[in-house]
Amino acid sequence: MSRARAKLEGSPWVGGLGLAAGIIGLAVPVSAGLVESGRAIEGTVTLVVLLALHLRFVTELPKRRAGSWWIVAVQAWLTYLPLTVFGAAWTPVCGLLAGALLVMAGRIRSIVLALLALACGPVVLAAPEASMIHPLWAIAAPLVGAAEFAVVTLAKRARELTEARTEVMRKAVALERRRFTRDLHDLVGHRLTVLVLKVQLLERLVEEGDDKARAEVTETLLLLRDLSADVRAVAHGLRSSSLAPELGSARSLLESVRVRCQIKVSCRDLPEEVEEALTHALREGVTNVLRHAEARQCSIHLVERERLVRLTIRNDGVRPPRRPGDAGQGLLNLAERVSPLGGWLEATSSRTGQFTFSVYVPRKK
């Protein structure tokens, strides 16, 4: 009984209450009839065993579609054999057997079992002695079984919907967490990299007594303000990316660290989603140049041919990776951004230290 009760608690409470109400509705007339026949003790013990088996079967989550055949067999034995001892008072339990057979028929998709369920009550009308059965309960047994089958089926469907809703919520939370992590890396990570370089440059200028130190301090403060705005944007799910300002920022940033930068743009008015993806690609490419190379020259080309937009970043001074296969999280994030648009990434390096990073994104019609 404890296992069946635990399974009922795991089911939607409405289905559990409906099933409990139906079983109590059958148990009351059976108990009353047993008291009148003078077999209350042995009849009650038999009824408790029967109800425990029945509850275990209809509330179980079978590993196989059929579940436990032996429970149905024992229930059938405890349904018909006691009729010869307890008489008509035992007739209502035929409805429980009809319900169990219908549940089994639903699990294995068996029409034969469904027909047996509808017949398990009326079949006792063929008893040799009329005193052994209660005709009305025998005729009502299929209806009782159908009602129980409906309650169990609805409870199962409700449980499946609850599990599906929980899974959808879990996936939504995982996707939002992934979006937050990706945006944090792409936006804030880029700003932090630039900020570190600016501070290093500022330190060197101060040591050299260069007059450009004041201008660098101003740019560093602007970067800090941009970083603060990016953090707020990521936290609130607000993303606003523009490719043209980012190209100008990339040029000034690279030239500030003494990297000669050449930019060539031959396409304009890109779709918003394409422009946003390419903006993140530009940030990632420039970040890689600053972090993983000792570049002296860098070229950025944005071209479009046959409705295919290509952003190419080529630089020299490539250093070998610190660890084999160290591709970084940024490229993985970028691949996630462009793949829904039908785009892809390409990265190649030469023996002379040249590294070429390209992003291809189709322009949708």
Side-chain angles (χ1 to χ4, degrees):
M1 289 289 288
S2 60
R3 291 182 61 186
R5 185 160 49 249
K7 290 168 184 173
L8 273 176
E9 291 174 356
S11 303
W13 65 272
V14 176
L17 288 179
L19 183 60
I23 291 178
I24 292 173
L26 280 180
V28 169
V30 172
S31 300
L34 292 173
V35 171
E36 292 179 0
S37 64
R39 297 183 176 274
I41 298 178
E42 59 267 38
T44 301
V45 172
T46 307
L47 181 62
V48 169
V49 174
L50 176 61
L51 292 179
L53 290 173
H54 182 72
L55 281 173
R56 175 178 176 179
F57 178 76
V58 298
T59 61
E60 73 175 350
L61 300 175
K63 296 181 180 179
R64 303 178 302 275
R65 288 190 303 167
S68 302
W69 279 94
W70 69 270
I71 297 180
V72 180
V74 174
Q75 183 175 345
W77 183 76
L78 290 176
T79 298
Y80 293 120
L81 185 60
L83 282 172
T84 61
V85 179
F86 306 130
W90 200 251
T91 309
V93 301
C94 293
L96 297 178
L97 180 60
L101 288 174
L102 285 175
V103 170
M104 176 74 79
R107 289 174 181 173
I108 66 175
R109 305 292 190 270
S110 173
I111 298 178
V112 175
L113 278 181
L115 294 176
L116 287 176
L118 298 178
C120 67
V123 74
V124 301
L125 294 174
E129 296 182 11
S131 60
M132 293 178 55
I133 63 167
H134 193 296
L136 292 180
W137 277 111
I139 295 173
L143 298 178
V144 173
E148 183 179 60
F149 173 74
V151 171
V152 172
T153 302
L154 289 175
K156 177 184 176 183
R157 294 290 184 269
R159 182 175 60 248
E160 291 174 350
L161 289 175
T162 301
E163 293 174 353
R165 183 169 61 251
T166 302
E167 181 65 16
V168 169
M169 293 176 62
R170 186 192 65 79
K171 289 182 178 180
V173 170
L175 288 175
E176 180 62 18
R177 184 183 295 114
R178 177 61 184 152
R179 181 203 65 80
F180 183 84
T181 303
R182 184 183 62 198
D183 290 351
L184 192 65
H185 177 278
D186 292 348
L187 295 177
V188 180
H190 172 76
R191 300 292 188 191
L192 287 175
T193 300
V194 175
L195 187 59
V196 170
L197 292 173
K198 284 290 186 182
V199 172
Q200 291 175 348
L201 176 61
L202 179 60
E203 182 182 20
R204 187 172 67 249
L205 292 176
V206 170
E207 291 176 354
E208 296 174 355
D210 198 314
D211 295 336
K212 293 175 59 179
R214 181 179 297 276
E216 291 297 331
V217 169
T218 302
E219 290 188 13
T220 302
L221 289 175
L222 290 175
L223 282 172
L224 285 172
R225 293 191 181 100
D226 290 341
L227 177 60
S228 177
D230 287 341
V231 171
R232 288 195 299 270
V234 171
H236 294 87
L238 303 175
R239 291 174 292 179
S240 56
S241 301
S242 180
L243 187 56
E246 198 66 34
L247 285 169
S249 176
R251 180 195 294 275
S252 61
L253 174 61
L254 290 171
E255 290 181 348
S256 69
V257 292
R258 301 174 183 177
V259 177
R260 183 180 178 184
C261 181
Q262 177 187 15
I263 297 179
K264 177 181 178 182
V265 178
S266 62
C267 59
R268 305 287 181 181
D269 300 326
L270 296 173
E272 181 179 353
E273 63 275 10
V274 174
E275 183 172 352
E276 181 176 358
L278 293 177
T279 300
H280 287 290
L282 178 60
R283 287 174 179 168
E284 181 62 28
V286 172
T287 301
N288 288 339
V289 172
L290 296 174
R291 293 179 61 187
H292 305 302
E294 297 176 352
R296 290 293 175 264
Q297 292 184 352
C298 178
S299 63
I300 302 174
H301 292 176
L302 180 64
V303 298
E304 179 181 359
R305 294 180 181 176
E306 298 180 357
R307 305 194 67 82
L308 181 65
V309 182
R310 185 191 70 194
L311 173 67
T312 300
I313 301 175
R314 183 178 291 106
N315 64 274
D316 58 2
V318 177
R319 297 193 301 264
R322 297 179 181 178
R323 296 185 302 270
D326 187 9
Q329 185 64 31
L331 295 181
L332 297 177
N333 292 342
L334 187 57
E336 290 182 358
R337 290 186 184 275
V338 300
S339 59
L341 303 176
W344 66 93
L345 312 179
E346 289 184 359
T348 58
S349 59
S350 65
R351 296 180 179 178
T352 59
Q354 293 284 336
F355 181 78
T356 303
F357 171 62
S358 300
V359 181
Y360 298 83
V361 182
R363 178 197 285 265
K364 295 184 178 179
K365 298 181 180 181

